[in-house]
Every structure is written in structure tokens, then in C-alpha cells.
Amino acid sequence: SDIPAEQSVDPSSYPVPVPDSPLPGQAVQHAGYHDHAGYRPTSPGSVPGMEDSLAKLSTQYSVVNFLPLKQALFSQYVTQPSLLCHPSTPPLPLLLPATPTLDHLLQTVETGHQMTTAGQFTRAVEQYRSVLLTATLASQSSLIRLCARYVVTLSMELERKRCGKTSQLDKIRQCQLAIFATKFDLLPVHLVLTIRSAISVCLKVGNVRCAKVLARALLDLGPDQEVCRFARSVILNQAESSDAFPMDRILTGKVEICGGDYLALEEDYVVCPLCCTKFGRVYLGQLCPVDRVARIGGSRAD
């Protein structure tokens, strides 16, 4: 060894450390260290309030599919995690998102509105459906219904784009869906989009009269100058004001639309207790295709 004998140290002269022995004055802090040794999620069955919340949603809205709500419900009731610290330092809590505020919900709805304006209908549908579920946990009924109207309207537009365009039945269905999409209470800027789209579809299939009626409705919304010029050009069109496929009933009358197959409903229909979308009786007892969590025709306890 290069260490002189007089400088060498006998290892036995050091005391053997005792595992987990606290330093003086640190017994209290150290004893609680393992209580904050990381995020340990509690099982859903033992989370305080979880079962009550599930039972409330089932009773109030006939919710039967809790999977889409599971993450939001769990984050609402989960035990707060902490950041590991030195034993002598109190643990630092990590803040989890609380139940969304109305302002937060409105911001997420605005994101869906922006997607709709940009024509990103597929993404917008998923955004509105996500907000609908979050609004359910926050008991915001008006936002639930708003998001449902957008989900149905944009889904009809997506369905129309998938339809054929050659046969007479294709043209009739194209025109139906385009007109149906103008029947829901949306923001004026989005009503302008749906009505303008319906006008174009009607003109393509030879429904000139329908197009002119829609053009007048478009002007009533007070759109910008470009849209006004478009609407006036349709109204002043010298083509004969007739329809290849008459649709007076759905064009000017009040019509209820099925949120499942997008057909006009008769008086006998059923309603989703959560999003209030209407369906034909054939959908009774089925999972709502709009919110995907509630049973159509189930009871609602306000």
C-alpha cells in the first residue's frame, strides 16, 4: 500500500450506521417521508365521493357508459400527489386540475368554434364531444346542449360529404342533409356557413327555389359584403324558380331531426336525457351516438 502505516485507519474504528436512523431533531419529518414517497393513486372504489358521483350521473342523466368519463371523474376526486423532498423539508404538493370552471369550459368551446370556422369538422366534433362530457361533470346543462347541437350538425355535414352525387337518391339525400344542417341553433357565423353550403348544394341538384329561399334567410343574418353579394346573386338569378326535388316541408316548416340517422322525425320520438338530442323510437334504449354515455329514452331527474 502507498499509505504509510501510521496514517492507515482501522475500519473497525467507525461505527456502523443504523438504517433509517433519524438525525437529532428530524424524527417527525423523517417519519412522514414515506407517506409522500410518490403518487399512489387510490383505487376508484375507495376514492371518497366517486361512487356517489357515478350514482348521481346514472340517476340524473341515465348515464350507462362511464368509460369516457372515467379519467375526468378520477382526476376530480384523486388524492393529491406530492413532490419528493429532503426528509427535513415538508413535501411540495403538486396541484391537479380541479373541476373545470365555466371560464375554462367556454375557452375549450371556443377552440371547437375555431375548428368549425376553419372547416375542420372531424376535429371539431371530437372537441365538442369532449367539452360535453366535461360540462356534464360541471353540471352545465346549457353547454351540454350547445355542444350536442354542434356534434349533430357537423356530423350531418360529414355524412353529406360521404354521400354519392350521381343518382337521384344521392341528390335528394345531399339536399336533405344540407337543409337539415341549417335547422340547429348555432352561432350566426356558423349558420352563415351552413346556409351558404346548403345554397350551393341546392343549386347543384337543380333546386333553384330552395336556394333562393335560403339566400333570403342568409341575408337576414347580416353577413359580410362578400356573402351578401353571393346571396343577392342567387336571388336575382334568372333561372326558373323551381325545384327538381321539392322539399317545402323541411325547408320552411319546423322539423325535428333524428340525431342517429339524420332523418325527419314524426311526432313519436325519444330523447337522450343527457344531451337532449331527439331520436326515432327505433333508438330507444340504445347508447346515444352524440354523447356516447347516456341511454336514449332513459329518465332524467333535474
Side-chain angles (χ1 to χ4, degrees):
S1 172
D2 295 333
I3 303 177
E6 62 272 14
Q7 296 182 13
S8 62
V9 179
D10 182 4
S12 63
S13 64
Y14 281 98
V16 178
V18 179
D20 291 332
S21 58
L23 295 175
Q26 292 185 349
V28 174
Q29 293 89 335
H30 189 70
Y33 176 77
H34 290 291
D35 292 338
H36 306 281
Y39 174 46
R40 298 193 303 274
T42 314
S43 62
S46 61
V47 175
M50 174 67 79
E51 295 300 327
D52 290 341
S53 181
L54 297 179
K56 180 181 178 181
L57 288 173
S58 179
T59 302
Q60 187 172 6
Y61 299 121
S62 290
V63 171
V64 293
N65 177 25
F66 292 96
L67 188 60
L69 294 164
K70 182 178 178 181
Q71 185 59 44
L73 281 168
F74 188 71
S75 65
Q76 183 175 353
Y77 290 105
V78 73
T79 304
Q80 191 180 57
S82 300
L83 184 66
L84 292 175
C85 301
H86 190 274
S88 64
T89 306
L92 299 177
L94 298 177
L95 298 179
L96 283 176
T99 303
T101 63
L102 179 59
D103 286 342
H104 173 74
L105 287 170
L106 292 176
Q107 289 175 5
T108 54
V109 169
E110 180 59 30
T111 300
H113 289 342
Q114 292 172 0
M115 293 175 180
T116 301
T117 304
Q120 301 172 348
F121 292 169
T122 301
R123 293 182 59 199
V125 166
E126 293 308 314
Q127 178 71 8
Y128 288 122
R129 186 174 283 125
S130 174
V131 179
L132 187 157
L133 297 178
T134 309
T136 300
L137 299 178
S139 300
Q140 294 291 337
S141 297
S142 60
L143 276 181
I144 293 173
R145 291 191 292 269
L146 171 69
C147 291
R149 292 195 297 269
Y150 270 92
V151 169
V152 175
T153 300
L154 299 184
S155 296
M156 285 193 295
E157 283 289 274
L158 292 170
E159 176 68 16
R160 182 180 62 79
K161 292 179 180 180
R162 289 190 290 265
C163 286
K165 300 179 181 179
T166 54
S167 70
Q168 282 197 346
L169 288 178
D170 289 339
K171 294 176 181 179
I172 291 173
R173 187 57 174 155
Q174 283 271 340
C175 202
Q176 280 181 340
L177 289 170
I179 293 174
F180 285 160
T182 69
K183 296 295 184 177
F184 289 87
D185 184 16
L186 310 181
L187 292 181
V189 63
H190 298 142
L191 280 175
V192 168
L193 291 178
T194 58
I195 295 176
R196 187 170 183 174
S197 175
I199 292 172
S200 298
V201 171
C202 288
L203 291 175
K204 288 178 182 178
V205 302
N207 277 22
V208 178
R209 179 178 174 277
C210 281
K212 291 187 176 184
V213 172
L214 290 168
R216 294 187 182 92
L218 185 57
L219 288 176
D220 290 340
L221 294 174
D224 59 38
Q225 291 185 358
E226 178 192 353
V227 177
C228 284
R229 283 195 296 268
F230 167 75
R232 291 192 184 100
S233 68
V234 173
I235 294 172
L236 296 175
N237 190 335
Q238 298 301 314
E240 182 181 357
S241 296
S242 61
D243 290 334
F245 311 104
M247 297 193 177
D248 292 349
R249 176 174 173 268
I250 67 172
L251 180 65
T252 58
K254 178 176 174 56
V255 58
E256 302 293 351
I257 302 161
C258 177
D261 54 21
Y262 314 127
L263 294 174
L265 290 169
E266 303 301 331
E267 293 183 1
D268 192 20
Y269 56 79
V270 289
V271 180
C272 172
L274 175 58
C275 68
C276 298
T277 303
K278 298 174 181 177
F279 297 88
R281 291 201 65 83
V282 69
Y283 286 88
L284 179 63
Q286 295 187 24
L287 190 67
C288 176
V290 178
D291 57 54
R292 296 181 177 176
V293 295
R295 186 177 66 250
I296 298 171
S299 59
R300 178 186 175 105
D302 291 320

